[in-house]
Amino acid sequence: MNTYKNIIYIALKPYGAILFLNNKFAALSLLLITFINPSVAISGIVAIIFTIIFAELIELKEAYLSQGFYLYNSLLVGMGIGYIFEPTVISIVLIAISSSLTFMLSFILNKLFAVYKIPILSLPFSIVTLFIYLASLKYSGLLSSLANNTTIYDIELPLIFSAFLKSFGTIFFLPNNIAGILMVLIVFYFSRITIIMALVGFYFGIFVHSILIGSFEQALYDPYAFNYILVSIALCGVFLLPTAKNFLLALIGIAISVVLTDAIAM
């Protein structure tokens, strides 16, 4: 019985780890929110299951138990595929392959980056997703199962607020105001500093981006603006203590991420 409870907890853990929350109730809540888009939710769960099975088969159980990023990178890859393709036999096969590849890449990159004490964060997800999306263009069976990401339930809000909430939801491939509100409330309950840095990071990033492109409104519509949130949280609240110096470093990091995000988006 305890073994099953441990497996369930392990499977839930990456949902919280994406937002740097180490709490099983927060993780469970975030999992439930993903069902706003069932395709994303199911694909994420499938990715976690295949990653755990693969880790057991190659006898790297201790790796995914001790380091959350091994699982949350696979989770992100699975949800990313689910956002593009509906769950079908072909997409599940693709998720199984990509989640296993992500786990191995996470393991290798962690060994390399550990020498310099640099966290790999979601780098494996970014690399694998790029290759998966390019490869999927050749898979005609997948093209017939493109997901319809029109959300049935949502609310209208002023763009200045909606942009932040949708960007927050986009971290879980849920660009939806309701998802954003629910996720913000969960994070606020468990970590007020995280929400403060999320707000500061997002709007500072939007400010910098608007200066560079010449339009504040266009900057608010940027689908990659969620990166400002993650950079801000990571640099002042997770990997560095929330001090005045680190706050300034976070702002510099956000400004850099604006340019890098634009370059990658091209």
Side-chain angles (χ1 to χ4, degrees):
M1 188 66 178
N2 287 332
T3 301
Y4 290 115
K5 286 183 178 179
N6 289 336
I7 293 175
I8 292 173
Y9 176 68
I10 291 166
L12 285 175
K13 196 173 182 179
Y15 287 89
I18 292 174
L19 291 174
F20 309 104
L21 297 175
N22 186 22
N23 183 283
K24 60 184 178 182
F25 297 109
L28 176 60
S29 300
L30 292 168
L31 165 61
L32 294 176
I33 290 172
T34 63
F35 279 93
I36 288 177
N37 186 330
S39 178
V40 169
I42 294 170
S43 298
I45 293 171
V46 169
I48 290 295
I49 292 172
F50 275 114
T51 303
I52 292 175
I53 292 173
F54 180 71
E56 294 281 354
L57 287 175
I58 61 175
E59 299 182 355
L60 285 177
K61 179 179 179 181
E62 295 303 319
Y64 76 77
L65 285 177
S66 60
Q67 302 291 341
F69 54 75
Y70 285 119
L71 286 180
Y72 79 61
N73 274 285
S74 293
L75 171 61
L76 287 170
V77 168
M79 291 193 297
I81 294 174
Y83 183 73
I84 303 296
F85 305 107
E86 294 284 354
T88 62
V89 173
I90 298 175
S91 67
I92 289 175
V93 169
L94 184 62
I95 291 170
I97 295 170
S98 58
S99 60
S100 301
L101 173 61
T102 304
F103 179 84
M104 285 305 302
L105 185 60
S106 298
F107 184 80
I108 294 169
L109 288 178
N110 182 55
K111 292 296 183 182
L112 295 174
F113 281 43
V115 176
Y116 303 99
K117 298 181 180 179
I118 300 174
I120 64 172
L121 298 178
S122 59
L123 181 60
F125 153 72
S126 300
I127 295 173
V128 172
T129 299
L130 174 62
F131 285 110
I132 292 299
Y133 284 174
L134 290 174
S136 65
L137 296 175
K138 295 185 177 181
Y139 305 148
S140 57
L142 276 175
L143 298 179
S144 63
S145 61
L146 291 173
N148 179 10
N149 290 308
T150 302
T151 306
I152 299 176
Y153 302 105
D154 201 0
I155 55 176
E156 293 294 327
L157 292 172
L159 179 60
I160 191 72
F161 302 121
S162 178
F164 172 73
L165 293 172
K166 286 185 176 181
S167 290
F168 211 98
T170 300
I171 297 171
F172 279 79
F173 295 91
L174 299 170
N176 175 286
N177 286 322
I178 293 177
I181 290 171
L182 293 174
M183 292 168 71
V184 165
L185 289 175
I186 290 169
V187 177
F188 179 79
Y189 180 80
F190 290 100
S191 175
R192 263 66 71 189
I193 187 63
T194 297
I195 285 299
I196 292 172
M197 289 311 303
L199 286 165
V200 171
F202 177 78
Y203 288 108
F204 180 74
I206 293 297
F207 172 70
V208 173
H209 197 200
S210 66
I211 293 174
L212 294 174
I213 65 176
S215 172
F216 187 75
E217 183 176 355
Q218 186 179 344
L220 287 171
Y221 279 113
D222 184 2
Y224 301 103
F226 68 91
N227 286 291
Y228 314 151
I229 295 173
L230 294 175
V231 170
S232 180
I233 295 172
L235 292 182
C236 190
V238 177
F239 297 109
L240 299 174
L241 294 174
T243 63
K245 177 184 176 181
N246 293 336
F247 182 80
L248 179 60
L249 288 174
L251 295 182
I252 294 172
I254 294 162
I256 294 172
S257 73
V258 171
V259 177
L260 292 178
T261 301
D262 277 341
I264 295 171
M266 293 298 290

